[in-house]
Amino acid sequence: MAAPNLVKALVLCFLLQRSLVFVDSAIGINWGTRSSRKLPPPVVVDLLKENRVGKVKLFEADPDILRALIGSGIEVMVGIPNELLGVLGSSPAACDQWVSRNVSRFMDKGGADIRYIAVGNEPFLTTYQGQYQSLVLPAMLNLQQSLVKANLASYIKLVVPCNADAYQSVSVPSQGTFRPELTQIITQLVSFLNTNESPFVVNIYPFLSLYQNSDFPQDYAFFGGSSHPVVDGQNVYYNAFDGNFDTLVAALSKIGYGQLPIAIGEVGWPSDGTPSANLSAARAFVQGLVNHVLSNKGTPLRPGVPPADIYLFSLLDEDQKSILPGSFERHWGIFSFDGQAKYPLNLGLGNAALKNAKDVPYLPPRWCIANPSLDPSAVANHMKVACNVADCTTLFYGGSCNAIGEKGNISYAFNSYYQLQKQDARSCNFDGLGMVTFLDPSIGDCRFLVGISDSGSPVGCTNFCGLWIMALWILSYVRILNVL
């Protein structure tokens, strides 16, 4: 009997350890990779560890990122793009192969700690017009069987990150229901989640409610109390997050799963690109959210029960994201693209403030600016070309670089293109209208960026290189003085 008892004790310790990790690491973060200036994955993993972030959510199974996470102790949610749902739902063999390539091979002893697989990303979004609705459950069922075959089903849970538009309410949270065309599918999905002890994952964005509705009370989007609370019987809602969350709770209750755990797959506030997206608002929202969640107050329909997990959106800015939803889309990171904290933030994970990334492989400190002697009227086409390729969203109305003047705007566009092209000298020509400078042209809150090297290590200089840069710096300075 000694051996079985020992096994039971070890299993109990293992489950207890998992539970403790779960509680200690309630705040996780999304790590997106739609960027032309990616930090090396080991640098990002070190950034996560330095900031004691214990959970990370990936939108796809990037092998370089998963390798970097091996041995880190960080719990991972791996995403499957919507485009793969069809083949995974129709082919058990394809699921076996996906699990083998993207999960099993990274989970040897001491490997990556993959806890969740996100099956699709907001597949029920209304803008998809039902394209993926029928594909989700077949894919989940096949993937579950693949996890069973790989002896991982008891450790890795399947979830489906849903947009908050999957449910609705005509007025107050208690009247929340799922969209009529989704009720049957969601009921089947939730039954699967409940059977397999997985949470319902939802993305909640009070920022978008404010951005898309000019009548939306601004203070209701934050956590400092609202002069426009929502009264729902005996319950009063002072912030949009709680109201949205409880609308989902009500919708789940109406299909018989009112106690199902809920995790927040994405929530955040952008810091640039439009007037309501700025550093002050982003800090107020994210800090308010963290404080609210860690207070364990819960919501009126779930008092004392905060979300199972919350994944902030997002870790880093991504300059290749589509701006069709708005120019703010490239500025959701709590860190800039190079891992530098944008604003003071206490995540409640042991550090009083964010710590910056180390060993960032920057390109040399030089920038492309508009030649001071140029005629601005001659540059319109060049600026358009630069901004069609590079990210110029900070120049838009409400952006951090919107008020730096006409020549400043031109210089910003030129430099964005120049850094995107890895400082290729030809990319700063613009028919003679651009010039390279070694004087940082940043103005106030408008930061002129320096790109990141593809080599994965900081670009260094020998003593001779340093003298050469100093000489070029002097020449560029003299050139500007001569023009002036």
Side-chain angles (χ1 to χ4, degrees), residues 210-272:
L210 178 64
Y211 178 77
Q212 295 166 355
N213 184 356
S214 58
D215 295 326
F216 192 87
Q218 181 165 332
D219 58 0
Y220 189 64
F222 296 89
F223 295 89
S226 174
S227 57
H228 302 81
V230 172
V231 179
D232 185 2
Q234 295 182 338
N235 295 325
V236 182
Y237 292 87
Y238 293 97
N239 66 78
F241 179 85
D242 284 357
N244 196 312
F245 187 93
D246 274 2
T247 302
L248 172 59
V249 173
L252 287 169
S253 296
K254 288 179 175 63
I255 61 172
Y257 293 94
Q259 301 304 313
L260 187 73
I262 297 172
I264 308 301
E266 298 177 23
V267 60
W269 199 281
S271 62
D272 213 331

Short mmCIF file of all heavy atoms in Angstrom, two decimals, residues 210-272:
data_model
loop_
_atom_site.label_atom_id
_atom_site.label_comp_id
_atom_site.label_asym_id
_atom_site.label_seq_id
_atom_site.Cartn_x
_atom_site.Cartn_y
_atom_site.Cartn_z
N LEU A 210 -16.10 53.24 -25.67
CA LEU A 210 -15.94 54.70 -25.63
C LEU A 210 -15.61 55.26 -27.01
O LEU A 210 -16.19 56.27 -27.44
CB LEU A 210 -14.83 55.07 -24.63
CG LEU A 210 -14.49 56.56 -24.50
CD1 LEU A 210 -15.69 57.33 -23.95
CD2 LEU A 210 -13.28 56.75 -23.59
N TYR A 211 -14.73 54.58 -27.72
CA TYR A 211 -14.27 55.05 -29.03
C TYR A 211 -15.39 55.04 -30.07
O TYR A 211 -15.50 55.94 -30.91
CB TYR A 211 -13.10 54.17 -29.50
CG TYR A 211 -12.57 54.51 -30.88
CD1 TYR A 211 -11.74 55.61 -31.07
CD2 TYR A 211 -12.88 53.71 -31.97
CE1 TYR A 211 -11.24 55.91 -32.33
CE2 TYR A 211 -12.38 54.00 -33.24
CZ TYR A 211 -11.56 55.10 -33.41
OH TYR A 211 -11.07 55.40 -34.66
N GLN A 212 -16.25 54.03 -29.99
CA GLN A 212 -17.27 53.84 -31.01
C GLN A 212 -18.59 54.55 -30.71
O GLN A 212 -19.48 54.58 -31.56
CB GLN A 212 -17.52 52.34 -31.19
CG GLN A 212 -16.33 51.59 -31.75
CD GLN A 212 -16.45 50.07 -31.62
OE1 GLN A 212 -17.41 49.55 -31.03
NE2 GLN A 212 -15.50 49.35 -32.18
N ASN A 213 -18.71 55.11 -29.52
CA ASN A 213 -19.98 55.72 -29.13
C ASN A 213 -19.72 57.06 -28.46
O ASN A 213 -19.23 57.11 -27.32
CB ASN A 213 -20.75 54.78 -28.18
CG ASN A 213 -22.12 55.31 -27.81
OD1 ASN A 213 -22.50 56.42 -28.19
ND2 ASN A 213 -22.86 54.53 -27.05
N SER A 214 -20.05 58.13 -29.14
CA SER A 214 -19.78 59.47 -28.61
C SER A 214 -20.62 59.77 -27.36
O SER A 214 -20.30 60.69 -26.60
CB SER A 214 -20.06 60.53 -29.68
OG SER A 214 -21.40 60.45 -30.13
N ASP A 215 -21.70 59.01 -27.14
CA ASP A 215 -22.55 59.23 -25.97
C ASP A 215 -22.14 58.38 -24.77
O ASP A 215 -22.76 58.47 -23.71
CB ASP A 215 -24.02 58.92 -26.32
CG ASP A 215 -24.58 59.88 -27.37
OD1 ASP A 215 -24.17 61.05 -27.36
OD2 ASP A 215 -25.40 59.44 -28.20
N PHE A 216 -21.12 57.55 -24.94
CA PHE A 216 -20.69 56.66 -23.85
C PHE A 216 -20.03 57.50 -22.76
O PHE A 216 -19.11 58.29 -23.03
CB PHE A 216 -19.70 55.63 -24.39
CG PHE A 216 -19.41 54.50 -23.44
CD1 PHE A 216 -20.21 53.37 -23.44
CD2 PHE A 216 -18.34 54.56 -22.56
CE1 PHE A 216 -19.95 52.32 -22.57
CE2 PHE A 216 -18.08 53.53 -21.69
CZ PHE A 216 -18.88 52.40 -21.70
N PRO A 217 -20.45 57.38 -21.50
CA PRO A 217 -19.86 58.17 -20.41
C PRO A 217 -18.39 57.82 -20.21
O PRO A 217 -18.06 56.66 -19.94
CB PRO A 217 -20.69 57.78 -19.19
CG PRO A 217 -21.93 57.15 -19.73
CD PRO A 217 -21.54 56.50 -21.02
N GLN A 218 -17.51 58.80 -20.32
CA GLN A 218 -16.08 58.52 -20.26
C GLN A 218 -15.68 57.92 -18.92
O GLN A 218 -14.89 56.96 -18.87
CB GLN A 218 -15.28 59.79 -20.52
CG GLN A 218 -13.77 59.55 -20.51
CD GLN A 218 -12.99 60.70 -21.12
OE1 GLN A 218 -13.50 61.40 -21.99
NE2 GLN A 218 -11.77 60.89 -20.68
N ASP A 219 -16.21 58.44 -17.82
CA ASP A 219 -15.77 57.92 -16.52
C ASP A 219 -16.26 56.49 -16.29
O ASP A 219 -15.67 55.75 -15.48
CB ASP A 219 -16.23 58.84 -15.38
CG ASP A 219 -17.74 59.04 -15.33
OD1 ASP A 219 -18.46 58.47 -16.17
OD2 ASP A 219 -18.20 59.79 -14.44
N TYR A 220 -17.28 56.05 -16.99
CA TYR A 220 -17.78 54.68 -16.85
C TYR A 220 -16.80 53.66 -17.45
O TYR A 220 -16.85 52.48 -17.12
CB TYR A 220 -19.15 54.56 -17.52
CG TYR A 220 -19.87 53.26 -17.26
CD1 TYR A 220 -20.27 52.90 -15.97
CD2 TYR A 220 -20.18 52.39 -18.30
CE1 TYR A 220 -20.95 51.70 -15.72
CE2 TYR A 220 -20.86 51.19 -18.07
CZ TYR A 220 -21.24 50.86 -16.78
OH TYR A 220 -21.89 49.68 -16.55
N ALA A 221 -15.91 54.13 -18.34
CA ALA A 221 -14.92 53.24 -18.95
C ALA A 221 -13.78 52.91 -17.99
O ALA A 221 -13.06 51.93 -18.21
CB ALA A 221 -14.36 53.86 -20.23
N PHE A 222 -13.63 53.71 -16.93
CA PHE A 222 -12.52 53.52 -16.00
C PHE A 222 -13.03 52.98 -14.66
O PHE A 222 -14.17 52.57 -14.54
CB PHE A 222 -11.78 54.85 -15.83
CG PHE A 222 -11.13 55.34 -17.09
CD1 PHE A 222 -11.84 56.15 -17.99
CD2 PHE A 222 -9.83 54.99 -17.42
CE1 PHE A 222 -11.25 56.59 -19.17
CE2 PHE A 222 -9.24 55.42 -18.59
CZ PHE A 222 -9.95 56.22 -19.47
N PHE A 223 -12.14 52.97 -13.67
CA PHE A 223 -12.44 52.32 -12.40
C PHE A 223 -12.47 53.29 -11.22
O PHE A 223 -12.41 52.87 -10.07
CB PHE A 223 -11.43 51.20 -12.13
CG PHE A 223 -11.50 50.08 -13.13
CD1 PHE A 223 -10.75 50.12 -14.30
CD2 PHE A 223 -12.34 48.99 -12.92
CE1 PHE A 223 -10.82 49.09 -15.23
CE2 PHE A 223 -12.42 47.97 -13.84
CZ PHE A 223 -11.66 48.02 -15.00
N GLY A 224 -12.60 54.57 -11.50
CA GLY A 224 -12.59 55.56 -10.42
C GLY A 224 -13.97 55.96 -9.95
O GLY A 224 -14.13 56.95 -9.23
N GLY A 225 -14.99 55.21 -10.35
CA GLY A 225 -16.35 55.59 -10.02
C GLY A 225 -16.95 56.40 -11.16
O GLY A 225 -16.23 57.07 -11.90
N SER A 226 -18.24 56.32 -11.32
CA SER A 226 -18.90 57.00 -12.45
C SER A 226 -20.07 57.84 -11.97
O SER A 226 -20.80 57.45 -11.05
CB SER A 226 -19.38 55.97 -13.47
OG SER A 226 -20.13 56.58 -14.50
N SER A 227 -20.25 58.98 -12.61
CA SER A 227 -21.42 59.81 -12.34
C SER A 227 -22.62 59.33 -13.15
O SER A 227 -23.70 59.90 -13.07
CB SER A 227 -21.12 61.28 -12.68
OG SER A 227 -20.71 61.41 -14.04
N HIS A 228 -22.39 58.27 -13.96
CA HIS A 228 -23.46 57.69 -14.77
C HIS A 228 -23.53 56.17 -14.53
O HIS A 228 -23.36 55.37 -15.45
CB HIS A 228 -23.22 57.96 -16.26
CG HIS A 228 -23.11 59.40 -16.61
ND1 HIS A 228 -21.94 60.12 -16.44
CD2 HIS A 228 -24.02 60.27 -17.13
CE1 HIS A 228 -22.13 61.36 -16.84
NE2 HIS A 228 -23.38 61.48 -17.26
N PRO A 229 -23.74 55.75 -13.29
CA PRO A 229 -23.79 54.30 -13.01
C PRO A 229 -25.00 53.65 -13.68
O PRO A 229 -26.01 54.31 -13.97
CB PRO A 229 -23.88 54.23 -11.50
CG PRO A 229 -24.55 55.51 -11.11
CD PRO A 229 -24.05 56.53 -12.08
N VAL A 230 -24.89 52.35 -13.89
CA VAL A 230 -26.00 51.57 -14.43
C VAL A 230 -26.68 50.86 -13.27
O VAL A 230 -26.06 50.07 -12.55
CB VAL A 230 -25.50 50.54 -15.48
CG1 VAL A 230 -26.63 49.62 -15.89
CG2 VAL A 230 -24.92 51.26 -16.68
N VAL A 231 -27.95 51.15 -13.09
CA VAL A 231 -28.71 50.55 -12.00
C VAL A 231 -29.50 49.37 -12.55
O VAL A 231 -30.29 49.51 -13.48
CB VAL A 231 -29.67 51.57 -11.36
CG1 VAL A 231 -30.47 50.91 -10.23
CG2 VAL A 231 -28.88 52.77 -10.82
N ASP A 232 -29.25 48.19 -11.96
CA ASP A 232 -29.89 46.95 -12.41
C ASP A 232 -30.53 46.29 -11.19
O ASP A 232 -29.92 45.45 -10.52
CB ASP A 232 -28.83 46.05 -13.04
CG ASP A 232 -29.42 44.77 -13.64
OD1 ASP A 232 -30.65 44.61 -13.60
OD2 ASP A 232 -28.64 43.94 -14.15
N GLY A 233 -31.77 46.69 -10.88
CA GLY A 233 -32.41 46.19 -9.67
C GLY A 233 -31.64 46.65 -8.44
O GLY A 233 -31.40 47.85 -8.26
N GLN A 234 -31.21 45.69 -7.63
CA GLN A 234 -30.43 46.02 -6.44
C GLN A 234 -28.95 46.20 -6.73
O GLN A 234 -28.20 46.65 -5.86
CB GLN A 234 -30.61 44.93 -5.38
CG GLN A 234 -32.03 44.83 -4.83
CD GLN A 234 -32.15 43.77 -3.75
OE1 GLN A 234 -31.34 42.85 -3.67
NE2 GLN A 234 -33.17 43.90 -2.90
N ASN A 235 -28.54 45.86 -7.94
CA ASN A 235 -27.13 45.97 -8.31
C ASN A 235 -26.85 47.28 -9.02
O ASN A 235 -27.64 47.72 -9.87
CB ASN A 235 -26.72 44.80 -9.21
CG ASN A 235 -26.80 43.47 -8.50
OD1 ASN A 235 -26.51 43.38 -7.30
ND2 ASN A 235 -27.18 42.42 -9.21
N VAL A 236 -25.72 47.88 -8.68
CA VAL A 236 -25.31 49.14 -9.31
C VAL A 236 -23.91 48.94 -9.90
O VAL A 236 -23.00 48.46 -9.22
CB VAL A 236 -25.30 50.30 -8.30
CG1 VAL A 236 -24.90 51.60 -9.00
CG2 VAL A 236 -26.67 50.44 -7.65
N TYR A 237 -23.77 49.34 -11.17
CA TYR A 237 -22.49 49.17 -11.87
C TYR A 237 -21.84 50.54 -12.08
O TYR A 237 -22.44 51.44 -12.67
CB TYR A 237 -22.71 48.47 -13.21
CG TYR A 237 -23.16 47.04 -13.05
CD1 TYR A 237 -24.51 46.72 -12.91
CD2 TYR A 237 -22.23 46.01 -13.01
CE1 TYR A 237 -24.91 45.41 -12.73
CE2 TYR A 237 -22.62 44.68 -12.84
CZ TYR A 237 -23.97 44.39 -12.69
OH TYR A 237 -24.37 43.09 -12.51
N TYR A 238 -20.59 50.64 -11.61
CA TYR A 238 -19.86 51.90 -11.72
C TYR A 238 -18.77 51.87 -12.78
O TYR A 238 -18.05 52.84 -12.95
CB TYR A 238 -19.26 52.27 -10.35
CG TYR A 238 -20.30 52.60 -9.32
CD1 TYR A 238 -20.74 51.64 -8.41
CD2 TYR A 238 -20.86 53.87 -9.26
CE1 TYR A 238 -21.71 51.94 -7.45
CE2 TYR A 238 -21.83 54.19 -8.31
CZ TYR A 238 -22.25 53.21 -7.41
OH TYR A 238 -23.21 53.52 -6.48
N ASN A 239 -18.60 50.74 -13.45
CA ASN A 239 -17.61 50.67 -14.53
C ASN A 239 -18.07 49.67 -15.59
O ASN A 239 -18.82 48.73 -15.29
CB ASN A 239 -16.22 50.30 -13.99
CG ASN A 239 -16.16 48.91 -13.41
OD1 ASN A 239 -16.09 47.92 -14.15
ND2 ASN A 239 -16.21 48.80 -12.08
N ALA A 240 -17.63 49.91 -16.81
CA ALA A 240 -18.07 49.11 -17.97
C ALA A 240 -17.57 47.68 -17.89
O ALA A 240 -18.24 46.76 -18.36
CB ALA A 240 -17.59 49.77 -19.26
N PHE A 241 -16.40 47.46 -17.30
CA PHE A 241 -15.85 46.12 -17.22
C PHE A 241 -16.78 45.20 -16.43
O PHE A 241 -17.14 44.11 -16.89
CB PHE A 241 -14.46 46.15 -16.58
CG PHE A 241 -13.82 44.79 -16.43
CD1 PHE A 241 -13.11 44.23 -17.48
CD2 PHE A 241 -13.94 44.07 -15.25
CE1 PHE A 241 -12.53 42.96 -17.36
CE2 PHE A 241 -13.37 42.81 -15.11
CZ PHE A 241 -12.67 42.26 -16.18
N ASP A 242 -17.19 45.63 -15.25
CA ASP A 242 -18.08 44.80 -14.43
C ASP A 242 -19.42 44.60 -15.13
O ASP A 242 -19.99 43.49 -15.10
CB ASP A 242 -18.32 45.47 -13.08
CG ASP A 242 -17.13 45.32 -12.14
OD1 ASP A 242 -16.15 44.65 -12.52
OD2 ASP A 242 -17.17 45.89 -11.03
N GLY A 243 -19.94 45.65 -15.77
CA GLY A 243 -21.20 45.52 -16.47
C GLY A 243 -21.14 44.52 -17.60
O GLY A 243 -22.04 43.69 -17.79
N ASN A 244 -20.05 44.57 -18.36
CA ASN A 244 -19.87 43.63 -19.47
C ASN A 244 -19.69 42.21 -18.95
O ASN A 244 -20.29 41.26 -19.47
CB ASN A 244 -18.65 44.07 -20.30
CG ASN A 244 -18.61 43.42 -21.66
OD1 ASN A 244 -18.77 42.22 -21.79
ND2 ASN A 244 -18.37 44.21 -22.69
N PHE A 245 -18.89 42.06 -17.93
CA PHE A 245 -18.62 40.74 -17.34
C PHE A 245 -19.92 40.09 -16.86
O PHE A 245 -20.20 38.92 -17.13
CB PHE A 245 -17.63 40.90 -16.18
CG PHE A 245 -17.14 39.61 -15.58
CD1 PHE A 245 -15.97 39.02 -16.03
CD2 PHE A 245 -17.85 38.98 -14.56
CE1 PHE A 245 -15.51 37.83 -15.48
CE2 PHE A 245 -17.39 37.80 -14.00
CZ PHE A 245 -16.22 37.23 -14.47
N ASP A 246 -20.73 40.87 -16.15
CA ASP A 246 -21.97 40.31 -15.60
C ASP A 246 -23.02 40.07 -16.68
O ASP A 246 -23.92 39.23 -16.49
CB ASP A 246 -22.52 41.21 -14.50
CG ASP A 246 -21.90 40.89 -13.14
OD1 ASP A 246 -21.03 39.99 -13.09
OD2 ASP A 246 -22.28 41.53 -12.15
N THR A 247 -22.93 40.79 -17.80
CA THR A 247 -23.81 40.47 -18.92
C THR A 247 -23.51 39.06 -19.42
O THR A 247 -24.43 38.29 -19.75
CB THR A 247 -23.62 41.49 -20.07
OG1 THR A 247 -23.88 42.81 -19.58
CG2 THR A 247 -24.57 41.20 -21.22
N LEU A 248 -22.23 38.69 -19.44
CA LEU A 248 -21.85 37.33 -19.81
C LEU A 248 -22.31 36.33 -18.75
O LEU A 248 -22.81 35.25 -19.09
CB LEU A 248 -20.33 37.24 -20.00
CG LEU A 248 -19.75 35.83 -20.19
CD1 LEU A 248 -20.36 35.15 -21.41
CD2 LEU A 248 -18.23 35.90 -20.32
N VAL A 249 -22.14 36.67 -17.48
CA VAL A 249 -22.60 35.78 -16.41
C VAL A 249 -24.10 35.50 -16.56
O VAL A 249 -24.55 34.34 -16.44
CB VAL A 249 -22.31 36.39 -15.02
CG1 VAL A 249 -22.94 35.54 -13.92
CG2 VAL A 249 -20.81 36.51 -14.79
N ALA A 250 -24.86 36.54 -16.84
CA ALA A 250 -26.31 36.37 -17.02
C ALA A 250 -26.61 35.49 -18.22
O ALA A 250 -27.50 34.63 -18.18
CB ALA A 250 -26.98 37.74 -17.16
N ALA A 251 -25.88 35.71 -19.32
CA ALA A 251 -26.09 34.90 -20.53
C ALA A 251 -25.77 33.43 -20.26
O ALA A 251 -26.51 32.53 -20.71
CB ALA A 251 -25.23 35.44 -21.67
N LEU A 252 -24.70 33.17 -19.52
CA LEU A 252 -24.35 31.79 -19.17
C LEU A 252 -25.42 31.17 -18.26
O LEU A 252 -25.75 29.99 -18.39
CB LEU A 252 -22.98 31.75 -18.49
CG LEU A 252 -21.76 31.99 -19.37
CD1 LEU A 252 -20.51 32.20 -18.53
CD2 LEU A 252 -21.55 30.82 -20.33
N SER A 253 -25.94 31.96 -17.34
CA SER A 253 -26.98 31.46 -16.44
C SER A 253 -28.22 31.02 -17.21
O SER A 253 -28.85 30.01 -16.87
CB SER A 253 -27.36 32.53 -15.41
OG SER A 253 -26.25 32.85 -14.58
N LYS A 254 -28.54 31.76 -18.25
CA LYS A 254 -29.76 31.45 -19.01
C LYS A 254 -29.64 30.15 -19.80
O LYS A 254 -30.67 29.60 -20.22
CB LYS A 254 -30.09 32.63 -19.94
CG LYS A 254 -30.62 33.85 -19.18
CD LYS A 254 -30.91 35.01 -20.12
CE LYS A 254 -31.54 36.17 -19.35
NZ LYS A 254 -30.66 36.75 -18.34
N ILE A 255 -28.43 29.66 -20.02
CA ILE A 255 -28.28 28.37 -20.69
C ILE A 255 -27.82 27.28 -19.71
O ILE A 255 -27.40 26.20 -20.12
CB ILE A 255 -27.31 28.45 -21.90
CG1 ILE A 255 -25.91 28.88 -21.47
CG2 ILE A 255 -27.85 29.38 -22.98
CD1 ILE A 255 -24.86 28.79 -22.59
N GLY A 256 -27.89 27.61 -18.40
CA GLY A 256 -27.65 26.61 -17.38
C GLY A 256 -26.24 26.48 -16.87
O GLY A 256 -25.91 25.51 -16.18
N TYR A 257 -25.38 27.47 -17.16
CA TYR A 257 -23.98 27.36 -16.73
C TYR A 257 -23.53 28.65 -16.03
O TYR A 257 -22.46 29.19 -16.30
CB TYR A 257 -23.08 27.07 -17.92
CG TYR A 257 -23.32 25.70 -18.52
CD1 TYR A 257 -24.20 25.53 -19.59
CD2 TYR A 257 -22.67 24.58 -18.00
CE1 TYR A 257 -24.42 24.27 -20.13
CE2 TYR A 257 -22.90 23.32 -18.54
CZ TYR A 257 -23.78 23.18 -19.61
OH TYR A 257 -24.00 21.93 -20.14
N GLY A 258 -24.35 29.12 -15.11
CA GLY A 258 -24.06 30.39 -14.44
C GLY A 258 -22.83 30.38 -13.55
O GLY A 258 -22.32 31.44 -13.19
N GLN A 259 -22.32 29.19 -13.21
CA GLN A 259 -21.13 29.10 -12.33
C GLN A 259 -19.85 28.77 -13.09
O GLN A 259 -18.81 28.54 -12.48
CB GLN A 259 -21.37 28.05 -11.24
CG GLN A 259 -22.58 28.33 -10.36
CD GLN A 259 -22.52 29.69 -9.71
OE1 GLN A 259 -21.48 30.08 -9.15
NE2 GLN A 259 -23.61 30.44 -9.78
N LEU A 260 -19.93 28.71 -14.41
CA LEU A 260 -18.73 28.37 -15.18
C LEU A 260 -17.65 29.43 -14.98
O LEU A 260 -17.92 30.63 -15.07
CB LEU A 260 -19.08 28.29 -16.67
CG LEU A 260 -17.96 27.78 -17.59
CD1 LEU A 260 -17.76 26.27 -17.40
CD2 LEU A 260 -18.29 28.08 -19.06
N PRO A 261 -16.40 29.03 -14.68
CA PRO A 261 -15.33 30.02 -14.54
C PRO A 261 -15.15 30.84 -15.81
O PRO A 261 -15.31 30.33 -16.93
CB PRO A 261 -14.08 29.15 -14.26
CG PRO A 261 -14.63 27.87 -13.72
CD PRO A 261 -15.94 27.66 -14.43
N ILE A 262 -14.82 32.10 -15.64
CA ILE A 262 -14.61 33.02 -16.76
C ILE A 262 -13.20 33.58 -16.67
O ILE A 262 -12.77 34.04 -15.61
CB ILE A 262 -15.63 34.17 -16.75
CG1 ILE A 262 -17.06 33.63 -16.92
CG2 ILE A 262 -15.31 35.18 -17.84
CD1 ILE A 262 -18.14 34.69 -16.74
N ALA A 263 -12.47 33.55 -17.78
CA ALA A 263 -11.15 34.17 -17.88
C ALA A 263 -11.23 35.29 -18.91
O ALA A 263 -11.99 35.21 -19.88
CB ALA A 263 -10.09 33.15 -18.28
N ILE A 264 -10.44 36.33 -18.71
CA ILE A 264 -10.41 37.45 -19.64
C ILE A 264 -9.22 37.26 -20.57
O ILE A 264 -8.07 37.34 -20.15
CB ILE A 264 -10.30 38.80 -18.91
CG1 ILE A 264 -11.39 38.91 -17.85
CG2 ILE A 264 -10.40 39.95 -19.92
CD1 ILE A 264 -12.79 38.80 -18.36
N GLY A 265 -9.51 36.99 -21.84
CA GLY A 265 -8.44 36.71 -22.79
C GLY A 265 -7.70 37.96 -23.26
O GLY A 265 -6.51 37.90 -23.54
N GLU A 266 -8.42 39.06 -23.35
CA GLU A 266 -7.81 40.34 -23.76
C GLU A 266 -8.54 41.47 -23.06
O GLU A 266 -9.76 41.51 -23.02
CB GLU A 266 -7.90 40.56 -25.27
CG GLU A 266 -7.18 39.55 -26.13
CD GLU A 266 -7.40 39.82 -27.63
OE1 GLU A 266 -7.72 40.98 -28.00
OE2 GLU A 266 -7.29 38.87 -28.42
N VAL A 267 -7.78 42.41 -22.53
CA VAL A 267 -8.33 43.65 -21.99
C VAL A 267 -7.18 44.64 -21.89
O VAL A 267 -6.07 44.29 -21.48
CB VAL A 267 -9.02 43.43 -20.62
CG1 VAL A 267 -8.04 42.90 -19.58
CG2 VAL A 267 -9.69 44.71 -20.14
N GLY A 268 -7.42 45.88 -22.30
CA GLY A 268 -6.35 46.87 -22.24
C GLY A 268 -6.82 48.21 -22.74
O GLY A 268 -8.02 48.44 -22.97
N TRP A 269 -5.84 49.12 -22.92
CA TRP A 269 -6.14 50.48 -23.37
C TRP A 269 -4.93 50.97 -24.19
O TRP A 269 -3.80 50.93 -23.71
CB TRP A 269 -6.37 51.40 -22.18
CG TRP A 269 -7.09 52.67 -22.52
CD1 TRP A 269 -6.57 53.79 -23.10
CD2 TRP A 269 -8.48 52.94 -22.30
NE1 TRP A 269 -7.52 54.74 -23.26
CE2 TRP A 269 -8.72 54.26 -22.77
CE3 TRP A 269 -9.53 52.22 -21.76
CZ2 TRP A 269 -9.98 54.86 -22.71
CZ3 TRP A 269 -10.79 52.81 -21.69
CH2 TRP A 269 -11.00 54.12 -22.16
N PRO A 270 -5.15 51.42 -25.42
CA PRO A 270 -4.03 51.89 -26.24
C PRO A 270 -3.50 53.24 -25.76
O PRO A 270 -4.21 53.98 -25.07
CB PRO A 270 -4.65 51.99 -27.64
CG PRO A 270 -6.10 52.24 -27.39
CD PRO A 270 -6.44 51.50 -26.13
N SER A 271 -2.29 53.54 -26.16
CA SER A 271 -1.63 54.74 -25.63
C SER A 271 -1.35 55.80 -26.69
O SER A 271 -0.75 56.83 -26.39
CB SER A 271 -0.30 54.35 -24.97
OG SER A 271 0.57 53.76 -25.93
N ASP A 272 -1.79 55.59 -27.92
CA ASP A 272 -1.47 56.56 -28.98
C ASP A 272 -2.40 56.34 -30.17
O ASP A 272 -3.09 55.32 -30.27
CB ASP A 272 -0.01 56.41 -29.42
CG ASP A 272 0.63 57.73 -29.85
OD1 ASP A 272 -0.11 58.62 -30.33
OD2 ASP A 272 1.85 57.87 -29.70
#
